[in-house]
Amino acid sequence: MNFYDAHNHLQDDRFGGRQDELLAACARAGVARMVVNGACESDWPQVLALARAHSVVLPSFGYHPWYLAERTPDWLERLKACLDQIPSAVGEIGLDRWKPGLPYEHQEEVFLAQLQLAAERNVPASIHCLQTWGRLRELLRDHPRPACGLVLHSYGGPAEMVPVFAKLGAYFSFPGYFLRARKARQREAFRRVPPDRLLVETDAPDQPLPDDRNAFPLAGADGKPLNHPVNLSAVYRGLAEFLGEPVESLAARIEANFQRLFGPVPGGSGCAATTPPPSAAPCPS
Ligand SMILES: [Zn+2]
């Protein structure tokens, strides 16, 4: 079986420079492709470097709403420069009214500027949304979206909004964190996801699985637990159990969905696999 991680943050500093070791474990476990999401200007060059060194990495560049205060005046130009460098997606972008103390001001304008880039280039956008689903629906409805589709990563919205977002081109990715007992509501929403819109993610190093499913415990330098991206296969197994479906048929479906959205193989044709223009400027560090 081949496994596809629709959303992680392999570049994260909490991994302490152990990315090669993590990727070797993922390769042994059958991870065929992973979308590595940048979250702010300072980590975009790391995402680019990982993608250049490892064909399993599909890079994605975006400003996450948690880090908007860090953005420089020319952040959008820097983002375009990264997207011009290599076949890539846009993300992680989003809206967040959940995080305590996080200003909502400017979130929509930054989100829409990035959604526009994804629409213009027709590459998938990976979207984070917490406690602002109604507004996200309005913004997606009223603005250009990538024709190839978009990902609602760790979809935690209402079950009844799944068909609404699906009509707007959304795919829904399921994280291992939702296998926790208290995440029953979030799990149940995935029963409403159309079969051809389902994806799976680790969100590593975040969103750890329940301990009894975490076969690869990992800790950062500070001793805090981290989610190892090789846990992807355990997320597949947990989701297959929940849906009452053999993991083999689920994996085949996810493979088809992932490749339809993100493109089949490195360098192949597909939504995200466009050739960068010859005049591409360097991704600024
Ligand atoms: Zn994320």
Side-chain angles (χ1 to χ4, degrees):
M1 269 184 292
N2 287 329
F3 301 104
Y4 294 81
D5 192 343
H7 188 102
N8 76 26
H9 300 277
L10 186 70
Q11 82 283 4
D12 197 295
D13 288 339
R14 285 173 288 167
F15 284 128
R18 295 167 65 186
Q19 277 80 0
D20 286 354
E21 174 194 332
L22 304 179
L23 283 165
C26 287
R28 286 193 297 273
V31 177
R33 203 89 164 103
M34 59 172 68
V35 183
V36 175
N37 285 257
C40 56
E41 281 163 273
S42 60
D43 74 3
W44 296 340
Q46 293 164 268
V47 172
L48 180 64
L50 282 169
R52 289 218 161 112
H54 304 278
S55 60
V56 70
V57 170
L58 195 163
S60 190
F61 302 102
Y63 240 113
H64 188 294
W66 290 4
Y67 307 111
L68 296 193
E70 297 173 19
R71 70 196 192 284
T72 64
D74 55 349
W75 70 270
L76 193 56
E77 292 311 311
R78 285 167 163 246
L79 177 55
K80 288 178 189 166
C82 289
L83 293 169
D84 286 343
Q85 282 299 294
I86 192 165
S88 46
V90 170
E92 180 170 353
I93 65 176
L95 302 172
D96 194 318
R97 285 189 190 270
W98 164 80
K99 192 176 171 65
L102 185 73
Y104 189 75
E105 201 194 359
H106 303 307
Q107 285 193 32
E108 290 190 4
E109 69 187 63
V110 172
F111 170 75
L112 288 173
Q114 298 181 98
L115 185 67
Q116 172 79 28
L117 277 185
E120 284 167 4
R121 292 161 188 251
N122 193 24
V123 297
S126 289
I127 298 174
H128 160 113
C129 182
L130 288 175
Q131 290 187 5
T132 181
W133 296 102
R135 186 61 181 147
L136 177 65
R137 178 183 61 87
E138 289 173 358
L139 293 178
L140 290 176
R141 184 193 60 201
D142 298 343
H143 293 85
R145 305 180 299 275
C148 61
L150 49 92
V151 182
L152 299 181
H153 112 81
S154 297
Y155 179 75
E160 60 270 21
M161 288 186 80
V162 167
V164 177
F165 283 118
K167 267 202 192 119
L168 294 168
Y171 288 68
F172 303 79
S173 72
F174 183 91
Y177 199 74
F178 287 0
L179 296 170
R180 290 171 180 254
R182 66 185 178 84
K183 290 287 168 185
R185 181 190 66 76
Q186 288 85 346
R187 268 197 309 281
E188 285 301 321
F190 275 81
R191 294 198 197 278
R192 300 281 299 272
V193 171
D196 63 349
R197 296 297 181 86
L198 182 63
L199 295 169
V200 176
E201 66 174 74
T202 62
D203 203 18
D206 295 315
Q207 302 215 60
L209 289 79
D211 287 347
D212 60 344
R213 292 182 185 271
N214 180 6
F216 299 90
L218 189 69
D222 57 3
K224 289 197 180 137
L226 301 176
N227 187 15
H228 192 313
V230 81
N231 279 316
L232 181 63
S233 61
V235 186
Y236 270 69
R237 289 196 175 82
L239 179 60
E241 265 172 49
F242 171 68
L243 294 175
E245 177 177 353
V247 69
E248 291 81 5
S249 67
L250 177 73
R253 198 146 58 85
I254 301 294
E255 179 170 58
N257 293 348
F258 185 99
Q259 294 193 1
R260 188 185 322 109
L261 180 61
F262 287 108
V265 286
S269 63
C271 182
T274 50
T275 311
S279 60
C283 187
S285 52

